[in-house]
Amino acid sequence: MPYTEPEAPHERFCPDPPIVVSGLVNRFGDFTVHDGLDLEVRRGEIIGVVGGSGTGKSVLMRSIIGLQRPTAGDIDVLGRRITDTDLDQRVGVRRRWGVLFQGGALFSTLTVGENVEVPLKEFYPEISPKLRREIARYKVLLSGLPEEAVLKYPNELSGGMKKRAGLARALALDPELLFLDEPTAGLDPIGAAAFDRQTRDLKETLGLTVFLITHDLDTLYEICDRVAVLADKKVIAVGTIPELLETRHPWIDEYFNGPRGRSALAARRA
Amino acid sequence: MFGVVTYCLEDNATGGSRLVLAGQMLVSSVGLFEKEIRTLSGQFSEIDISGIEEMDTTGAWVVSNLAAQHDCPITGASEKAKHLLEAVAVAVGEGELSPPVVPVWERVPLSLGEKVYDARGGIIGVVSFLGAVLMSFGTMIRRPSRIPMRAVVKQMEMVGVSALPIIGLMSFLIGIVIAQQGAVQLQQFGAETLTVNLVGRITLRELGVLMTAIMVAGRSGSAFAAQIGTMKLTEEVDAMRTIGLSPIERLVIPRIVACTFMMILLGFYSSIVGIIGGAVIGQFALGIPFFTFLERIQEVVPIHDVWVGLVKAPVFGLIVALAGCYHGMQVKGNSEEVGIRTTMAVVSAIFAVIVIDAFFAVFFTEVGWG
């Protein structure tokens, strides 16, 4: 679709579906990660992306957010084609998504509060400093961090706190789309459950669409509306967990019916 | 209108006035609204947000903040708006996001005092680092099988072989400059043939080794600090310790050995290329044939000048490597620290090299190698 900047920053894009990946091919040298991958994410859902190590979950996310230029294929995010323009010209789309990287990827020379301020300052300079500070502060609190964390530097935080701070930064602009890369990996079960709850609350309150890469079976059962399975360089199945189990694919079967899968299911039923 | 919050004051049923908001209360639109609403005169006892079409958490925050300031209720909220207002209500608080800024007249004495105080820790750090390096050398000499030959050779390649082009070019140009400038001055006494002495002695004694040391400090000393510093940040160094590998043996010793040894070769190489540069100028500008220039060098340069250069080179190499590795090992905290330590490694290495060079100059003159 023809596309010209600048766009009205106030407009909500709200296209349906918000993410469409078609025929994606990613190749590094001789190594093919994705070969003709298709995926559609529906509006307002939490989609979980699972797959064995090295099946290219993170590469898929990087392609969708424009950090990795695919070898072939098209990706539309919020109705805009990501694959044919430079990421820097995607201001309209960029300010409508939030990304949480695996390690948090906080700016290490800024405090947590200042980290959250960065996107606000960048995209909405007209907001007064006082209001910006207030927004940043309550985003930090909203993400479940204690009051005093605002003034801390990232190297003074634990892994779980870094993730929460990263979430606060991802939510700074009230995005329509949220990308989470293994948000609960490395968290204690209590922290992970709290993070799950938070993600679901945010989705319900803000009407977010969430693209979630995870290995946490509890997360999948608890909060994901649908699950996409990456294997054989493609998305082999998308659907709710019962739907996936009906496909009888060996990998899916092992994934959900393995010892861990069963205990997560038991926990869900209890 | 699109993307704008409109507002007006109306009388309400109870005789007070109410603030009626309409439009879009979004992060993109509240910036201007918030500035305007602060200048609004007149009191109101109710905020009506039934006209708000869209709202996000930022909008909800501004509305609930406004309500809190004027101590008045919010009416006409839709289901979604109520949800948002509840969500932001849990997160109230005051305070700064950045650490307080210290005024300059306090900051200067403060940082000076800190530097003086830290100097003690720095001295202890340097001494204990030197001690650790010496101890590791001791173990390695007793058990040569522990010498990480592979790493040493790899460092030699990075410090020495890949530096050949740039150091060659630099030395060649320095040789040219010395010969050309020297000739201009010496011509005034009709002594331009002494250009040969000038080029030969200055490159072999001083400039070859000194400039190479500066180049190696910039090229490799900085790399040592940055590599080891990044490894400290990513906990690689800690991982080595837990496995039982000594970071000093695995990281520091190979770099020190490689840098010390390669400095000898690079320093000599640099002097020779410098002389060749001088000879090229001799051919084209002074009328001294190229090979005559080289033969004259052998006659006028005493052999101890070569030794002076060769004695200084490994000392300089040692200093550069020690400074780079020491500062790398001192990195902790964040990525900014890597940058600071890399800078410190280069600056302190070059400074120490020049100071020690001055001592060497006096020393060699005293022992009769003047």
Coordinates of all heavy atoms in Angstrom, one line a residue, chain B residues 93-182:
Chain B
G93 N 2.4 8.9 43.2 CA 3.6 9.1 43.9 C 4.3 10.4 43.4 O 4.0 10.9 42.4
E94 N 5.1 10.9 44.3 CA 5.8 12.2 43.9 C 7.3 11.9 43.9 O 7.8 10.8 44.3 CB 5.6 13.2 45.0 CG 4.2 13.9 44.9 CD 4.1 14.8 43.7 OE1 5.0 15.6 43.6 OE2 3.2 14.6 42.9
G95 N 8.1 12.8 43.3 CA 9.5 12.6 43.4 C 10.2 12.7 42.0 O 9.5 12.8 41.0
E96 N 11.5 12.7 42.1 CA 12.3 12.9 40.9 C 12.7 11.5 40.3 O 12.6 10.5 40.9 CB 13.6 13.6 41.3 CG 13.4 15.1 41.6 CD 13.0 15.9 40.5 OE1 13.5 15.7 39.4 OE2 12.1 16.8 40.6
L97 N 13.0 11.6 39.0 CA 13.5 10.4 38.3 C 15.0 10.3 38.2 O 15.6 9.2 38.1 CB 13.0 10.4 36.8 CG 11.5 10.3 36.6 CD1 11.2 10.3 35.2 CD2 10.9 9.1 37.3
S98 N 15.6 11.5 38.2 CA 17.1 11.5 38.1 C 17.6 11.8 39.4 O 17.0 12.5 40.2 CB 17.5 12.6 37.1 OG 16.6 12.6 36.0
P99 N 18.9 11.4 39.7 CA 19.5 11.7 40.9 C 19.7 13.2 41.0 O 19.8 13.9 39.9 CB 20.9 11.0 40.9 CG 20.8 10.2 39.7 CD 19.7 10.5 38.8
P100 N 19.6 13.8 42.2 CA 19.7 15.3 42.2 C 21.0 15.8 41.7 O 22.0 15.2 41.8 CB 19.6 15.6 43.7 CG 19.9 14.3 44.4 CD 19.5 13.2 43.5
V101 N 20.9 17.0 41.0 CA 22.1 17.5 40.4 C 22.9 18.3 41.4 O 22.3 19.2 42.1 CB 21.7 18.4 39.2 CG1 23.0 19.1 38.6 CG2 21.0 17.7 38.2
V102 N 24.2 18.0 41.6 CA 25.0 18.7 42.6 C 25.6 20.0 41.9 O 26.1 19.9 40.8 CB 26.1 17.8 43.0 CG1 26.9 18.5 44.1 CG2 25.6 16.5 43.5
P103 N 25.5 21.1 42.6 CA 26.0 22.4 42.0 C 27.5 22.3 41.8 O 28.2 21.6 42.5 CB 25.6 23.5 42.9 CG 25.3 22.8 44.2 CD 24.8 21.4 43.9
V104 N 28.0 23.1 40.8 CA 29.4 23.0 40.4 C 30.4 23.2 41.5 O 31.4 22.5 41.7 CB 29.6 23.9 39.2 CG1 30.8 24.9 39.4 CG2 29.9 23.1 37.9
W105 N 30.1 24.2 42.4 CA 31.0 24.5 43.5 C 31.1 23.4 44.5 O 32.1 23.3 45.3 CB 30.7 25.9 44.1 CG 29.3 25.9 44.7 CD1 28.9 25.5 45.9 CD2 28.2 26.4 44.0 NE1 27.5 25.7 46.0 CE2 27.1 26.3 44.8 CE3 27.9 27.0 42.7 CZ2 25.8 26.7 44.5 CZ3 26.7 27.3 42.3 CH2 25.6 27.2 43.2
E106 N 30.1 22.5 44.5 CA 30.2 21.4 45.4 C 30.9 20.2 44.7 O 31.6 19.4 45.3 CB 28.9 21.0 45.9 CG 28.4 21.8 47.1 CD 27.0 21.4 47.6 OE1 26.7 20.1 47.5 OE2 26.2 22.2 47.9
R107 N 30.6 20.1 43.4 CA 31.0 19.0 42.6 C 32.5 18.9 42.4 O 33.1 17.9 42.5 CB 30.3 19.0 41.2 CG 30.1 17.6 40.6 CD 29.1 17.6 39.5 NE 29.4 18.6 38.5 CZ 28.5 19.3 37.9 NH1 27.2 19.2 38.3 NH2 28.8 20.2 37.0
V108 N 33.1 20.1 42.2 CA 34.5 20.1 41.9 C 35.3 19.6 43.1 O 36.1 18.7 43.0 CB 35.0 21.5 41.4 CG1 36.5 21.6 41.3 CG2 34.3 21.8 40.1
P109 N 35.2 20.2 44.3 CA 35.9 19.7 45.5 C 35.6 18.3 45.8 O 36.4 17.5 46.2 CB 35.5 20.6 46.6 CG 34.5 21.5 46.1 CD 34.4 21.4 44.7
L110 N 34.3 17.9 45.5 CA 33.8 16.6 45.8 C 34.6 15.6 45.0 O 35.1 14.6 45.5 CB 32.3 16.5 45.5 CG 31.6 15.4 46.2 CD1 31.5 15.7 47.7 CD2 30.1 15.2 45.7
S111 N 34.7 15.9 43.7 CA 35.3 14.9 42.8 C 36.8 14.9 43.0 O 37.5 13.8 42.9 CB 35.0 15.2 41.3 OG 35.8 16.3 40.9
L112 N 37.4 16.1 43.4 CA 38.8 16.1 43.7 C 39.1 15.3 44.9 O 40.0 14.4 44.9 CB 39.2 17.6 44.0 CG 40.7 17.8 44.3 CD1 41.5 17.5 43.0 CD2 41.0 19.2 44.8
G113 N 38.3 15.4 46.0 CA 38.4 14.6 47.2 C 38.3 13.2 46.9 O 39.1 12.4 47.4
E114 N 37.3 12.8 46.1 CA 37.2 11.4 45.7 C 38.4 10.8 45.0 O 38.8 9.7 45.3 CB 35.9 11.2 44.8 CG 34.7 10.9 45.6 CD 33.4 11.0 44.7 OE1 33.6 10.9 43.5 OE2 32.3 11.0 45.3
K115 N 38.9 11.7 44.1 CA 40.1 11.2 43.3 C 41.3 10.9 44.3 O 42.0 9.9 44.1 CB 40.5 12.2 42.3 CG 39.5 12.3 41.1 CD 40.3 12.6 39.8 CE 39.4 12.2 38.6 NZ 38.3 13.2 38.5
V116 N 41.5 11.9 45.2 CA 42.6 11.7 46.2 C 42.4 10.5 47.0 O 43.3 9.7 47.2 CB 42.7 13.0 47.1 CG1 43.7 12.7 48.2 CG2 43.1 14.2 46.3
Y117 N 41.1 10.3 47.5 CA 40.8 9.2 48.3 C 41.0 7.9 47.5 O 41.6 6.9 48.0 CB 39.4 9.3 48.8 CG 39.1 8.2 49.8 CD1 39.5 8.2 51.1 CD2 38.3 7.1 49.4 CE1 39.2 7.2 52.0 CE2 38.0 6.1 50.3 CZ 38.5 6.2 51.6 OH 38.2 5.2 52.5
D118 N 40.5 7.9 46.2 CA 40.6 6.7 45.4 C 42.0 6.4 45.0 O 42.3 5.2 44.6 CB 39.8 6.8 44.1 CG 38.3 6.8 44.5 OD1 38.0 6.4 45.6 OD2 37.5 7.2 43.6
A119 N 42.9 7.4 45.0 CA 44.3 7.1 44.6 C 44.9 6.0 45.4 O 45.7 5.1 44.9 CB 45.1 8.4 44.8
R120 N 44.6 6.0 46.7 CA 45.1 4.9 47.6 C 44.7 3.5 47.1 O 45.5 2.6 46.9 CB 44.6 5.1 49.0 CG 45.3 4.3 50.0 CD 44.6 4.5 51.4 NE 43.2 4.1 51.2 CZ 42.6 3.4 52.2 NH1 43.2 3.0 53.2 NH2 41.3 3.0 52.0
G121 N 43.3 3.4 46.8 CA 42.8 2.2 46.2 C 43.5 1.9 44.9 O 43.8 0.7 44.6
G122 N 43.7 2.9 44.1 CA 44.4 2.7 42.8 C 45.8 2.1 42.9 O 46.1 1.2 42.2
I123 N 46.5 2.7 43.9 CA 47.9 2.2 44.1 C 47.9 0.7 44.5 O 48.6 -0.1 44.0 CB 48.6 3.1 45.1 CG1 48.9 4.5 44.5 CG2 50.0 2.4 45.5 CD1 49.3 5.5 45.5
I124 N 47.0 0.5 45.5 CA 46.8 -0.9 46.0 C 46.4 -1.8 44.8 O 47.0 -2.9 44.6 CB 45.8 -1.0 47.1 CG1 46.3 -0.3 48.3 CG2 45.5 -2.5 47.5 CD1 45.3 -0.1 49.5
G125 N 45.5 -1.3 44.0 CA 45.1 -2.1 42.8 C 46.2 -2.5 41.9 O 46.4 -3.6 41.5
V126 N 47.0 -1.4 41.6 CA 48.1 -1.6 40.6 C 49.1 -2.6 41.2 O 49.5 -3.6 40.5 CB 48.8 -0.3 40.3 CG1 50.1 -0.5 39.5 CG2 47.9 0.6 39.5
V127 N 49.5 -2.4 42.5 CA 50.5 -3.3 43.1 C 50.0 -4.7 43.1 O 50.7 -5.7 42.8 CB 50.8 -2.8 44.5 CG1 51.7 -3.8 45.2 CG2 51.5 -1.4 44.4
S128 N 48.7 -4.9 43.5 CA 48.2 -6.3 43.6 C 48.1 -6.9 42.2 O 48.3 -8.1 42.1 CB 46.9 -6.3 44.4 OG 45.9 -5.6 43.7
F129 N 47.7 -6.1 41.2 CA 47.7 -6.6 39.9 C 49.1 -7.1 39.4 O 49.2 -8.2 38.9 CB 47.1 -5.5 38.9 CG 47.1 -5.9 37.5 CD1 46.1 -6.8 37.1 CD2 48.0 -5.4 36.6 CE1 46.0 -7.2 35.7 CE2 47.9 -5.8 35.2 CZ 46.9 -6.7 34.8
L130 N 50.1 -6.2 39.7 CA 51.4 -6.6 39.3 C 51.8 -7.9 40.0 O 52.5 -8.8 39.4 CB 52.4 -5.5 39.7 CG 52.4 -4.3 38.7 CD1 53.4 -3.2 39.2 CD2 52.8 -4.7 37.3
G131 N 51.5 -7.9 41.3 CA 51.8 -9.1 42.1 C 51.2 -10.4 41.5 O 51.8 -11.4 41.3
A132 N 49.9 -10.3 41.1 CA 49.2 -11.4 40.5 C 49.9 -11.8 39.2 O 50.0 -13.0 38.9 CB 47.7 -11.1 40.3
V133 N 50.3 -10.8 38.4 CA 50.9 -11.1 37.1 C 52.2 -11.9 37.4 O 52.5 -12.9 36.7 CB 51.1 -9.9 36.3 CG1 52.0 -10.1 35.1 CG2 49.8 -9.3 35.8
L134 N 53.0 -11.3 38.3 CA 54.3 -12.0 38.6 C 54.1 -13.4 39.1 O 54.9 -14.3 38.7 CB 55.0 -11.1 39.7 CG 55.8 -10.0 39.2 CD1 56.5 -9.2 40.3 CD2 56.9 -10.4 38.2
M135 N 53.1 -13.6 40.0 CA 52.9 -14.9 40.5 C 52.6 -15.9 39.4 O 53.1 -17.0 39.3 CB 51.7 -14.9 41.5 CG 51.9 -14.1 42.7 SD 52.6 -15.2 44.0 CE 51.1 -16.1 44.5
S136 N 51.7 -15.4 38.5 CA 51.3 -16.3 37.3 C 52.5 -16.6 36.5 O 52.7 -17.7 36.0 CB 50.3 -15.6 36.5 OG 49.1 -15.4 37.3
F137 N 53.4 -15.6 36.3 CA 54.6 -15.8 35.5 C 55.4 -16.9 36.2 O 56.0 -17.8 35.5 CB 55.4 -14.6 35.4 CG 55.2 -13.9 34.1 CD1 54.7 -12.6 34.0 CD2 55.6 -14.6 32.9 CE1 54.5 -12.0 32.7 CE2 55.4 -14.0 31.7 CZ 54.9 -12.7 31.6
G138 N 55.5 -16.8 37.5 CA 56.3 -17.8 38.3 C 55.7 -19.2 38.0 O 56.5 -20.1 37.7
T139 N 54.4 -19.4 38.2 CA 53.9 -20.7 38.0 C 54.1 -21.2 36.5 O 54.4 -22.4 36.3 CB 52.3 -20.8 38.2 OG1 51.9 -19.5 38.1 CG2 52.0 -21.4 39.5
M140 N 54.1 -20.3 35.6 CA 54.2 -20.7 34.2 C 55.6 -21.1 33.9 O 55.9 -22.0 33.1 CB 53.8 -19.6 33.3 CG 52.3 -19.5 33.2 SD 51.9 -18.5 31.9 CE 50.1 -18.6 32.0
I141 N 56.6 -20.4 34.5 CA 58.0 -20.8 34.3 C 58.3 -22.2 34.9 O 58.9 -23.0 34.3 CB 58.9 -19.7 34.9 CG1 58.8 -18.5 34.0 CG2 60.4 -20.2 34.9 CD1 59.4 -17.2 34.6
R142 N 57.7 -22.4 36.0 CA 57.9 -23.7 36.6 C 57.1 -24.8 35.9 O 57.6 -26.0 35.8 CB 57.4 -23.7 38.1 CG 58.5 -23.4 39.1 CD 58.1 -23.5 40.5 NE 57.4 -22.3 40.9 CZ 56.2 -22.3 41.5 NH1 55.5 -23.4 41.7 NH2 55.6 -21.1 41.8
R143 N 56.0 -24.5 35.3 CA 55.2 -25.5 34.5 C 54.9 -24.9 33.2 O 53.8 -24.4 32.9 CB 54.0 -25.9 35.3 CG 54.2 -27.0 36.3 CD 53.0 -27.5 36.9 NE 52.3 -26.5 37.8 CZ 51.1 -26.7 38.2 NH1 50.3 -27.7 37.8 NH2 50.5 -25.8 39.0
P144 N 55.9 -25.1 32.2 CA 55.7 -24.4 30.9 C 54.5 -24.9 30.1 O 54.0 -24.3 29.2 CB 57.0 -24.8 30.2 CG 57.9 -25.2 31.2 CD 57.1 -25.8 32.3
S145 N 54.0 -26.1 30.5 CA 52.8 -26.7 29.8 C 51.6 -25.8 30.0 O 50.6 -25.9 29.3 CB 52.5 -28.1 30.3 OG 52.2 -28.1 31.7
R146 N 51.6 -25.0 31.0 CA 50.5 -24.1 31.3 C 50.4 -22.9 30.4 O 49.5 -22.1 30.5 CB 50.4 -23.7 32.8 CG 50.1 -24.9 33.6 CD 49.9 -24.5 35.0 NE 48.7 -23.6 35.2 CZ 48.1 -23.5 36.4 NH1 48.5 -24.2 37.4 NH2 47.1 -22.7 36.5
I147 N 51.5 -22.6 29.7 CA 51.5 -21.4 28.9 C 50.5 -21.6 27.8 O 50.6 -22.5 27.0 CB 52.9 -21.2 28.3 CG1 53.9 -21.0 29.5 CG2 52.9 -19.9 27.4 CD1 55.4 -20.9 29.0
P148 N 49.5 -20.7 27.7 CA 48.5 -20.8 26.6 C 49.1 -20.3 25.3 O 48.9 -19.2 24.9 CB 47.4 -19.9 27.1 CG 48.0 -18.9 28.1 CD 49.3 -19.5 28.6
M149 N 49.8 -21.2 24.6 CA 50.6 -20.9 23.4 C 49.6 -20.3 22.3 O 49.9 -19.4 21.6 CB 51.3 -22.1 22.9 CG 52.7 -22.3 23.5 SD 53.6 -20.7 23.7 CE 54.0 -20.3 22.0
R150 N 48.5 -21.0 22.2 CA 47.5 -20.6 21.2 C 47.1 -19.2 21.3 O 47.2 -18.4 20.3 CB 46.3 -21.5 21.3 CG 45.5 -21.7 20.1 CD 44.4 -22.6 20.5 NE 44.7 -24.0 20.0 CZ 44.4 -24.4 18.8 NH1 43.9 -23.6 17.9 NH2 44.6 -25.7 18.5
A151 N 46.8 -18.8 22.5 CA 46.4 -17.4 22.8 C 47.5 -16.4 22.5 O 47.3 -15.4 22.0 CB 45.9 -17.3 24.2
V152 N 48.7 -16.9 22.9 CA 49.9 -16.0 22.7 C 50.1 -15.7 21.2 O 50.3 -14.6 20.8 CB 51.2 -16.6 23.3 CG1 52.4 -15.8 23.0 CG2 51.0 -16.7 24.9
V153 N 50.0 -16.8 20.5 CA 50.3 -16.6 19.0 C 49.2 -15.7 18.4 O 49.4 -14.9 17.6 CB 50.3 -18.0 18.3 CG1 50.3 -17.8 16.8 CG2 51.5 -18.8 18.8
K154 N 47.9 -15.9 18.8 CA 46.8 -15.1 18.3 C 47.0 -13.7 18.6 O 46.8 -12.8 17.8 CB 45.5 -15.7 18.9 CG 44.3 -14.9 18.3 CD 43.1 -15.8 18.5 CE 41.9 -15.0 17.9 NZ 41.2 -14.1 18.9
Q155 N 47.4 -13.4 19.9 CA 47.7 -12.0 20.3 C 48.8 -11.4 19.5 O 48.8 -10.3 19.1 CB 47.9 -11.9 21.8 CG 46.7 -12.2 22.6 CD 45.6 -11.2 22.4 OE1 45.8 -10.0 22.0 NE2 44.4 -11.6 22.5
M156 N 49.9 -12.3 19.2 CA 51.0 -11.8 18.5 C 50.6 -11.3 17.1 O 51.0 -10.3 16.6 CB 52.1 -12.9 18.3 CG 52.9 -13.0 19.6 SD 54.2 -14.2 19.3 CE 55.2 -14.1 20.7
E157 N 49.7 -12.1 16.5 CA 49.2 -11.7 15.2 C 48.4 -10.4 15.3 O 48.6 -9.5 14.4 CB 48.3 -12.8 14.7 CG 47.9 -12.6 13.2 CD 46.8 -13.5 12.7 OE1 46.6 -14.6 13.3 OE2 46.0 -13.0 11.8
M158 N 47.6 -10.3 16.3 CA 46.7 -9.1 16.3 C 47.6 -7.8 16.7 O 47.3 -6.8 16.1 CB 45.6 -9.3 17.4 CG 44.7 -10.4 17.0 SD 43.0 -10.1 17.4 CE 43.0 -10.2 19.2
V159 N 48.5 -8.0 17.6 CA 49.3 -6.8 18.0 C 50.4 -6.5 17.0 O 50.6 -5.4 16.7 CB 50.0 -7.1 19.4 CG1 50.9 -6.0 19.8 CG2 49.0 -7.3 20.5
G160 N 51.0 -7.6 16.5 CA 52.2 -7.4 15.6 C 51.9 -7.4 14.1 O 52.0 -6.4 13.5
V161 N 51.5 -8.5 13.6 CA 51.4 -8.7 12.2 C 50.4 -7.7 11.6 O 50.7 -7.1 10.6 CB 51.0 -10.2 11.8 CG1 51.0 -10.3 10.3 CG2 52.0 -11.1 12.4
S162 N 49.2 -7.6 12.2 CA 48.2 -6.8 11.6 C 48.5 -5.3 11.8 O 47.9 -4.4 11.1 CB 46.8 -7.1 12.0 OG 46.8 -7.3 13.4
A163 N 49.5 -5.0 12.6 CA 49.9 -3.6 12.8 C 51.0 -3.2 11.7 O 51.3 -2.0 11.6 CB 50.4 -3.3 14.2
L164 N 51.5 -4.1 11.0 CA 52.7 -3.8 10.1 C 52.3 -2.7 9.1 O 53.1 -1.7 9.0 CB 53.1 -5.0 9.4 CG 54.0 -6.0 10.3 CD1 54.3 -7.3 9.4 CD2 55.2 -5.4 10.8
P165 N 51.2 -2.8 8.4 CA 51.0 -1.7 7.4 C 50.9 -0.3 8.0 O 51.6 0.6 7.5 CB 49.6 -2.1 6.8 CG 49.4 -3.5 7.2 CD 50.2 -3.8 8.4
I166 N 50.1 -0.1 9.0 CA 49.9 1.2 9.6 C 51.2 1.7 10.2 O 51.6 2.9 10.0 CB 48.7 1.3 10.5 CG1 48.4 2.7 11.0 CG2 49.0 0.4 11.8 CD1 47.9 3.6 9.9
I167 N 51.9 0.9 10.9 CA 53.2 1.3 11.5 C 54.2 1.6 10.4 O 55.0 2.6 10.5 CB 53.7 0.3 12.6 CG1 52.8 0.4 13.8 CG2 55.1 0.6 13.0 CD1 53.1 -0.5 14.9
G168 N 54.2 0.8 9.4 CA 55.2 1.1 8.3 C 54.9 2.4 7.6 O 55.8 3.2 7.4
L169 N 53.6 2.7 7.4 CA 53.3 3.9 6.7 C 53.6 5.1 7.6 O 54.3 6.1 7.1 CB 51.8 3.9 6.4 CG 51.2 5.2 5.7 CD1 51.8 5.3 4.3 CD2 49.7 5.1 5.7
M170 N 53.3 5.0 8.9 CA 53.6 6.1 9.8 C 55.1 6.4 9.9 O 55.6 7.5 9.7 CB 53.1 5.7 11.2 CG 53.4 6.7 12.3 SD 53.2 6.0 13.9 CE 54.5 4.8 14.0
S171 N 55.9 5.3 10.0 CA 57.3 5.5 10.1 C 57.9 6.0 8.8 O 58.8 6.9 8.9 CB 58.0 4.1 10.4 OG 57.3 3.5 11.5
F172 N 57.4 5.6 7.7 CA 57.9 6.1 6.4 C 57.7 7.6 6.3 O 58.6 8.3 6.0 CB 57.2 5.3 5.3 CG 57.7 5.6 3.9 CD1 58.9 5.0 3.5 CD2 57.0 6.4 3.1 CE1 59.4 5.3 2.2 CE2 57.5 6.7 1.8 CZ 58.7 6.1 1.4
L173 N 56.5 8.0 6.7 CA 56.2 9.4 6.6 C 57.1 10.2 7.6 O 57.5 11.3 7.3 CB 54.7 9.7 6.9 CG 53.8 9.1 5.8 CD1 52.4 9.3 6.2 CD2 54.1 9.7 4.5
I174 N 57.3 9.6 8.8 CA 58.1 10.4 9.8 C 59.5 10.5 9.3 O 60.2 11.5 9.4 CB 58.0 9.6 11.2 CG1 56.7 9.9 11.8 CG2 59.2 10.1 12.1 CD1 56.5 9.1 13.1
G175 N 60.0 9.4 8.7 CA 61.4 9.5 8.1 C 61.5 10.6 7.1 O 62.4 11.4 7.0
I176 N 60.5 10.7 6.2 CA 60.5 11.7 5.2 C 60.5 13.1 5.8 O 61.3 14.0 5.4 CB 59.2 11.5 4.3 CG1 59.4 10.4 3.4 CG2 58.9 12.8 3.5 CD1 58.2 10.1 2.5
V177 N 59.6 13.3 6.8 CA 59.5 14.6 7.4 C 60.8 15.0 8.1 O 61.3 16.1 7.9 CB 58.3 14.6 8.5 CG1 58.4 15.9 9.3 CG2 57.0 14.5 7.8
I178 N 61.4 14.1 8.9 CA 62.7 14.4 9.5 C 63.8 14.8 8.5 O 64.5 15.8 8.7 CB 63.1 13.2 10.4 CG1 62.2 13.0 11.6 CG2 64.6 13.5 10.9 CD1 62.4 11.8 12.3
A179 N 63.9 14.0 7.5 CA 64.9 14.2 6.5 C 64.7 15.5 5.8 O 65.6 16.4 5.7 CB 64.9 13.1 5.4
Q180 N 63.5 15.8 5.4 CA 63.2 17.0 4.7 C 63.4 18.3 5.6 O 64.1 19.2 5.2 CB 61.8 16.9 4.1 CG 61.5 17.9 3.0 CD 60.9 19.2 3.5 OE1 60.3 19.2 4.6 NE2 61.1 20.2 2.8
Q181 N 62.8 18.3 6.8 CA 62.9 19.4 7.6 C 64.4 19.6 8.1 O 64.9 20.7 8.2 CB 62.0 19.2 8.9 CG 60.5 19.3 8.5 CD 60.1 20.7 8.0 OE1 60.4 21.7 8.7 NE2 59.5 20.8 6.9
G182 N 65.0 18.4 8.5 CA 66.4 18.5 8.9 C 67.3 19.1 7.8 O 68.1 20.0 8.1

